[in-house]
Amino acid sequence: MTSFTIDLSGFLEVHAKAVAEACNSGRATLAVWRQEIDPIDPAELLIPLFVHTRRAFVWVSPQSSVLAMGTAADFSGRGPARFATVRAGWEPAARDVVEGGPGPRGTPSLVGGFAFAPGDGPMPDGLMWVPKVLISREADGPAVLSLSVGVEPGPAASDDVVRVVNQAYGWLTAVGGRPCRSPHLEGTTVTEVPPPDEWKALAGRAVEQVGSGAFGKAVLARQLRVDAPCSYDIPSVVGALIEGQPGSTVFAVALDRHAFVGATPERLVGVRTGQARSMSLAASMPRGATPEEDARLRDALLADDKSRREQQMVTAMLRQAFDRVCGEVRVPAEPYVMDLPNLRHLHSRIEGRIADPSNTGVLDLVELLHPTPAVGGHPRQAALDWIAAAEPFDRGWYAGPVGWMNTDQEGDFAVALRSAHLHGRTATLYAGCGIVAGSDPEAELEETRLKFRTMLDALAVPGYGPVGVGTS
């Protein structure tokens, strides 16, 4: 149990100012109260979070953590304009926010994500929202509690403020320990979609399309449907990802009875104080069983011509996108190796100073960059058109942007890889491979099986598929 005190009278004063602002402007207004609290292990917040709300958000990365419950205001978008629609709703709302409390500004205010492409999946095309209760912390910084209430024009009672404060107390005073890992359940079944032979044939057709010049790369995904005897425990799954994938960004978005969870190694873009940062991630190699084998595989990845060409394709696209909005862009001459628990990737950090921060926020860059060649292909539209026609399912939020923003239009978004959609007793896992000239369908199939292991381990499903090579 943690101990803290919320200044209810201070929050009520902020709420009263927001009521007056809403009445004067005729627009809905947000009242936000922030204060510092003692740091809490994010994993210890999971059980009471999912007990207390059906709308939840989790983000745990090496740079920051954000956990949130409930919603004070939603900003949604549909179709190809989903990013612009969310941005058009949030920017004026952020300008009108009435803020108070001793906590620092610039902390996360808006959380959520977007589908890979507009579709018919169980999750919205795009949904970002202002949580009622949010706890955030940047690396080595203070933990900040943010409380938010939406105010409509007209008379407003203070009951909402009291309810939100009570929600915060209910969540934080219930903190007790990390969730236990789920046991393996007998009777769990695993179904590959499409079946292996069909998917390899599809990958072969993608190689033919590359050879004909239709595109240089297409990322082809597949599903793994895991049905268990009982409903999945989301805190256990997310806690297992936090424990097992310390170098990745662990995320969870829970909307009513649906949850989208994962542990991704890929950052799409982060924006802070005018600086934009992204990552070019591509190509893969498994980890070795011994230090000597591990070192050999690391060197082999750096020396592999096909892997270097694939990663350079992603780097070039990101560099071109950054050049459109940044006055200066920095890209290392050579890629680095990112080591993860069961595999490694080539990656390069891309950094730039935004030329006009007043007109270019993090959502502008999300829309500009998504989807990168690492999850879509190159040239972008030709690859996306082929993927839409070839894949026998809707990707949903797999490989889409998930993240958070603040009222200054800064924030951080990841590419939702190594992920699964959870609904009741069914978990639908996703993995993909970049198909380029020289790709071998059998090797690509094994790569997806290795990538599935991140979520299968969190779901306590052992023994699926051999270990092969494997970013998507």
Side-chain angles (χ1 to χ4, degrees):
M1 179 179 292
T2 187
S3 177
F4 68 102
T5 301
I6 297 172
D7 182 359
L8 178 59
S9 62
F11 191 11
L12 287 170
E13 288 181 12
V14 171
H15 180 262
K17 292 178 182 177
V19 171
E21 177 64 27
C23 290
N24 291 334
S25 67
R27 297 189 299 271
T29 304
L30 286 160
V32 179
W33 176 267
R34 296 187 182 93
Q35 66 179 69
E36 293 184 13
I37 60 173
D38 291 337
I40 307 171
D41 180 353
E44 294 186 1
L45 292 163
L46 295 174
I47 295 175
L49 170 62
F50 289 97
V51 166
H52 281 79
T53 187
R54 296 173 70 176
R55 175 76 72 89
F57 180 85
V58 175
W59 169 285
V60 180
S61 78
Q63 295 81 29
S64 61
S65 64
V66 182
L67 293 94
M69 67 161 53
T71 176
D74 284 357
F75 300 88
S76 59
R78 294 181 59 84
R82 61 197 185 283
F83 300 104
T85 303
V86 170
R87 184 172 63 248
W90 172 238
E91 288 180 351
R95 289 193 295 267
D96 291 344
V97 166
V98 178
E99 301 174 289
R105 288 188 75 255
T107 53
S109 301
L110 195 70
V111 301
F114 300 85
F116 178 81
D120 300 321
M123 306 278 280
D125 286 353
L127 176 63
M128 301 287 292
W129 72 91
V130 177
K132 289 183 177 180
V133 186
L134 182 148
I135 300 164
S136 60
R137 188 185 185 195
E138 295 197 26
D140 301 322
V144 179
L145 171 68
S146 301
L147 308 177
S148 300
V149 171
V151 178
E152 296 292 334
S158 59
D159 295 359
D160 286 346
V161 171
V162 176
R163 278 193 289 269
V164 169
V165 169
N166 286 337
Q167 278 185 294
Y169 276 118
W171 181 14
L172 295 179
T173 56
V175 170
R178 288 171 167 251
C180 296
R181 277 181 171 267
S182 299
H184 172 60
L185 300 175
E186 294 296 331
T188 298
T189 62
V190 178
T191 306
E192 299 178 82
V193 182
D197 288 344
E198 291 183 19
W199 192 85
K200 287 190 292 184
L202 194 59
R205 291 199 293 274
V207 174
E208 293 172 358
Q209 291 293 306
V210 171
S212 71
F215 42 76
K217 174 185 178 181
V219 178
L220 185 61
R222 61 194 295 256
Q223 289 182 341
L224 206 62
R225 296 180 185 169
V226 183
D227 291 292
C230 59
S231 295
Y232 287 102
D233 182 70
I234 299 173
S236 295
V237 174
V238 178
L241 290 171
I242 292 173
E243 179 183 344
Q245 302 293 324
S248 297
T249 295
V250 175
F251 59 86
V253 179
L255 305 175
D256 296 320
R257 299 181 184 278
H258 298 270
F260 182 65
V261 304
T264 179
E266 185 170 358
R267 184 187 213 177
L268 180 61
V269 65
V271 173
R272 274 292 195 180
T273 62
Q275 287 279 351
R277 295 178 174 85
S278 186
M279 172 194 292
S280 166
L281 190 73
S284 309
M285 192 72 73
R287 299 298 302 268
T290 65
E292 294 77 17
E293 183 185 19
D294 201 45
R296 178 181 60 77
L297 291 172
R298 198 173 197 275
D299 291 342
L301 179 60
L302 282 168
D304 184 67
D305 180 67
K306 175 177 172 290
S307 297
R308 295 289 289 258
R309 284 188 287 109
E310 186 178 352
Q311 199 264 345
Q312 287 168 0
M313 189 182 300
V314 180
T315 303
M317 176 271 178
L318 292 173
R319 174 64 190 260
Q320 291 170 3
F322 266 50
D323 282 339
R324 292 172 58 181
V325 297
C326 295
E328 57 182 79
V329 179
R330 296 176 297 281
V331 181
E334 293 292 321
Y336 301 91
V337 175
M338 171 186 284
D339 289 328
L340 298 170
N342 64 331
L343 70 165
R344 52 170 49 105
H345 306 296
L346 291 178
H347 82 110
S348 300
R349 296 184 183 92
I350 293 92
E351 298 181 347
R353 175 158 291 281
I354 297 174
D356 186 5
S358 63
N359 288 311
T360 303
V362 67
L363 263 189
D364 296 284
L365 281 162
V366 168
E367 183 175 16
L368 182 63
L369 297 176
H370 174 77
T372 73
V375 295
H378 183 78
R380 176 188 282 178
Q381 198 56 53
L384 293 179
D385 289 344
W386 187 84
I387 291 167
E391 287 183 351
F393 52 79
D394 189 320
R395 289 190 178 187
W397 280 31
Y398 163 67
V402 173
W404 57 267
M405 299 174 58
N406 63 22
T407 54
D408 295 324
Q409 312 307 323
E410 302 172 326
D412 209 351
F413 282 79
V415 182
L417 306 177
R418 315 294 150 77
S419 53
H421 171 243
L422 308 182
H423 181 57
R425 299 185 299 109
T426 299
T428 305
L429 285 60
Y430 299 86
C433 296
I435 308 298
V436 296
S439 290
D440 173 53
E442 183 66 40
E444 303 297 342
L445 179 72
E446 297 306 316
E447 179 176 330
T448 65
R449 287 176 169 167
L450 181 59
K451 291 172 179 176
F452 281 134
R453 279 259 52 98
T454 297
M455 282 305 310
L456 288 170
D457 288 345
L459 297 170
V461 180
Y464 165 77
V467 175
V469 295
T471 53
S472 304

